[in-house]
Every structure is written in structure tokens, then in C-alpha cells.
Amino acid sequence: MNFSIPEKASIVILTGAGISAESGLETFRGAGGLWCGHRVEDVATPEAFARNPAMVHEFYNMRRRGLLKPEINPNPAHLALAELEQKWPGEVLVVTQNIDDLHERAGTKNLIHMHGEVLKAFCHFCRSNIECRNDLSIEMTCAKCSKTGGIRPDIVWFGEMPYRMDEIFDALANCDLFLSIGTSGNVYPAAGFVSEALRHDAFTAELNLEPSLNASIFHESLTGPATETVVRFVNNLLK
Ligand code: OAD
């Protein structure tokens, strides 16, 4: 690492599935990116849900069950980011594309789940978010409005607007350091955050197992498993 940032620099950190890989959660595009022969893009859409809600529910039920297994825990990369937030004198915001809760479990507080959360359901009728740790189905009744048939996972699908974009772009416009961790750079708008941070003169670094699609536009690109690169990067920042 060879860069200088202000003592109280504002840091924005984008994370993707790669940060949770060493906790035992599959990435989206690993293993050919297929789920039962379907591309993620063919399951994670409002159209797929309208066509075959049972299949889409099952996709997320499997992910929820997987996340809640006792052996799935935050790894040293999640913990390092929580430590950074706690000890860094400036603002630290983690924007995650992940729908798991491993950042929260690690202790990160200033966190945006831009693609939603698998441990929440959303009622199409009353527009409530409901905590959920069990399987969802099309037959479910909403605990808030008592209507049946409107429950879906609280996930932002392809073609839908991610959550809290105003806050994210505001933070990107005001950050001194932008980090992108464990994301392939396939999915916009998240893949465009680096350009936005660069436009506002932030220093940008990518920490990924392999160079992402955007690797060449970052000031620095570190390759390796997140549990090594993130821990090393955070330790250097906190030195
Ligand atoms: P991807 O599966 O597309 O990419 C994961 C990235 O993590 C890849 O570039 C891997 O090389 C890298 N990786 C794997 N293991 C790693 C490790 N141990 N340490 C560091 N990096 C590692 O996942 P995302 O980029 O998060 O959206 O996918 C973005 C979005 O596409 C997801 O949020 C989801 C998906 O479709 C929605 O569901 C809307």
C-alpha cells in the first residue's frame, strides 16, 4: 500500500459475495454461476417470481437455511471491517451487495444492504418488512396485514432499484478512500461505484481473489483471499 489519505478520511467499502466465501457461503458466479441449471439472472427477477414463485422462494429458502447453519459465522475479513469502523477516526460506511447478515454479526453498525436481506420478507400488499428465519411460501399470510399471497423475500431483484441509493451516492461523493471487496463487478449500479468515487478524487482499491472486470480502473488491485488481504489492509490503515 502506497498512498496517503487524510487522518480523518471518510471511507466507503463495497462488499460482495467473495467476502463471505470463506465463511462457507457460495458466491453468485462461482461454480459456473448456475443454480439447478438456472442462471442467477433467471431466478432473481420479478418476472421469474411471477412465473414460478415456488422456485424462486426455494432458491432463497435454501440460502436462508444455509446462512442459519451453526457453522456459518463471520470470518476475519468481516471482523476486520468492524474493527476498522470502531477504531478509525473518520466515517466508515459499509455498503454490501450481500443478503447475509455476517457484517452485522461481526459488529459493523454503519451498514447498507443495497440488495436487501434474506432474513427479511416483504409484503407486497402492506409494504412491510418482516423479520423471517423460516422458509417462505406463496401460501403465507402477512403477520401485519393478514393478507395471503403477497409475501416475497426482501431482496432487490434484477430490474429493481437497489435500496438507499441517494445515501450511497452522497457517501461516494464525499469519501477519500473507496474499497471494493469480493465482488466480480458484473452487476450495476454497484460496479459503477468505483467510477463515482474516482470522479470525486477518492483513492480506490480493490481486494478480490482475482482481478474483477473493473480491476484496471482502481488505483490499486490486491488479489488473494479476503481473510488475508482485508486483514492486512485494515491493519496497515490502523497502524
Ligand atoms: P459474484 O459471485 O459475482 O462475485 C464474487 C467475487 O468474489 C468473484 O470475483 C470472486 O473471484 C471473488 N471471491 C471469491 N472468493 C473470494 C475470497 N475468498 N476472497 C475474496 N474474493 C473472493 O458476487 P457479487 O459480485 O457479490 O445480486 O455479485 C453481485 C450481485 O450479483 C449479487 O449481490 C447478486 C448477484 O446476482 C442480486 O441478487 C440482485
Side-chain angles (χ1 to χ4, degrees):
M1 273 194 317
N2 193 12
F3 62 91
S4 69
I5 48 172
E7 202 181 318
K8 293 190 178 177
S10 276
I11 305 176
V12 175
I13 303 165
L14 172 70
T15 64
I19 196 169
S20 297
E22 288 163 90
S23 291
L25 297 180
E26 273 177 31
T27 62
F28 281 91
R29 291 175 183 77
L34 293 182
W35 176 76
C36 292
H38 305 282
R39 290 186 320 141
V40 148
E41 289 81 353
D42 296 333
V43 183
T45 65
E47 293 78 17
F49 188 62
R51 226 172 20 239
N52 193 344
M55 178 188 81
V56 176
H57 271 312
E58 184 52 17
F59 177 73
Y60 291 104
N61 287 342
M62 278 172 58
R63 286 190 170 253
R64 189 177 307 104
R65 280 182 234 138
L67 175 62
L68 293 174
K69 284 184 184 161
E71 65 269 27
I72 303 295
N73 290 301
N75 66 47
H78 297 104
L79 293 167
L81 296 187
E83 185 189 357
L84 180 66
E85 178 187 42
Q86 213 179 38
K87 297 188 175 162
W88 187 252
E91 174 110 14
V92 177
L93 171 67
V94 175
V95 179
T96 189
Q97 299 168 87
N98 297 344
I99 58 176
D100 65 52
D101 65 342
L102 297 182
H103 282 304
E104 292 91 320
R105 285 199 237 165
T108 291
K109 303 268 183 280
N110 198 16
L111 174 68
I112 295 180
H113 274 281
M114 63 177 290
H115 288 168
E117 295 168 66
V118 77
L119 297 182
K120 286 188 182 160
F122 178 79
C123 175
H124 165 76
F125 296 117
C126 66
R127 312 201 74 72
S128 308
N129 296 98
I130 305 142
E131 302 282 330
C132 80
R133 302 181 83 78
N134 299 315
D135 284 0
L136 299 179
S137 75
I138 36 177
E139 295 86 24
M140 283 180 86
T141 298
C142 172
K144 297 247 169 89
C145 70
S146 304
K147 288 193 179 151
T148 300
I151 295 286
R152 58 172 273 183
D154 189 12
I155 306 288
V156 176
W157 286 325
F158 289 95
E160 296 180 327
M161 186 57 79
Y163 287 132
R164 299 172 64 182
M165 290 307 294
D166 288 353
E167 282 170 73
I168 297 171
F169 274 96
D170 199 41
L172 289 168
N174 291 296
C175 75
D176 303 290
L177 173 63
F178 172 74
L179 301 180
S180 174
I181 302 172
T183 176
S184 60
N186 271 285
V187 176
Y188 283 80
F193 290 173
V194 56
S195 305
E196 188 64 12
L198 284 168
R199 213 161 62 82
H200 294 279
D201 298 325
F203 186 85
T204 60
E206 153 172 298
L207 289 73
N208 207 44
L209 193 59
E210 63 208 350
S212 74
L213 293 177
N214 288 327
S216 64
I217 63 172
F218 285 86
H219 290 108
E220 192 161 319
S221 176
L222 301 179
T223 53
T227 53
E228 288 172 21
T229 55
V230 176
V231 170
R232 201 168 62 232
F233 199 95
V234 166
N235 284 342
N236 276 330
L237 279 176
L238 291 177
K239 243 190 229 158

